[in-house]
Amino acid sequence: MIPLSIADAIFLYFLLWVLVVLVLWFREQARLKRNEWKINRSRLFNCDNCHHAFISAESVNLTRCPRCNSICFRRKQRDIE
Ligand SMILES: [Zn+2]
């Protein structure tokens, strides 16, 4: 068996915890980057029938309203900015 003093054992214990925390932190950062919201105007729709604003899953010009199921068109919008 490897001779190990109490100080070395405590050091290894904290070193392992720091490594575990670092691995979990990198994993969380990768998860946040993967699930990041990317909202732009091409996905934002506003229903003319029920005035419900929603975000479509894909960037399309035609979709159905999730509330009233009516067809929503993408209109050309002028950029105010
Ligand atoms: Zn609607």
Side-chain angles (χ1 to χ4, degrees), residues 7-60:
D8 291 340
I10 291 173
F11 175 75
L12 284 176
Y13 176 77
F14 283 113
L15 186 66
L16 283 175
W17 271 111
V18 167
L19 287 175
V20 166
V21 168
L22 280 175
V23 166
L24 290 175
W25 183 75
F26 279 117
R27 192 173 139 210
E28 178 69 13
Q29 291 299 315
R31 188 186 68 83
L32 286 176
K33 190 177 286 184
R34 188 175 56 240
N35 297 332
E36 186 179 5
W37 278 81
K38 293 175 183 168
I39 300 173
N40 56 19
R41 285 179 176 245
S42 64
R43 291 185 176 197
L44 181 64
F45 282 87
N46 194 5
C47 180
D48 293 332
N49 194 23
C50 67
H51 302 290
H52 179 64
F54 61 97
I55 299 171
S56 69
E58 297 174 0
S59 180
V60 293

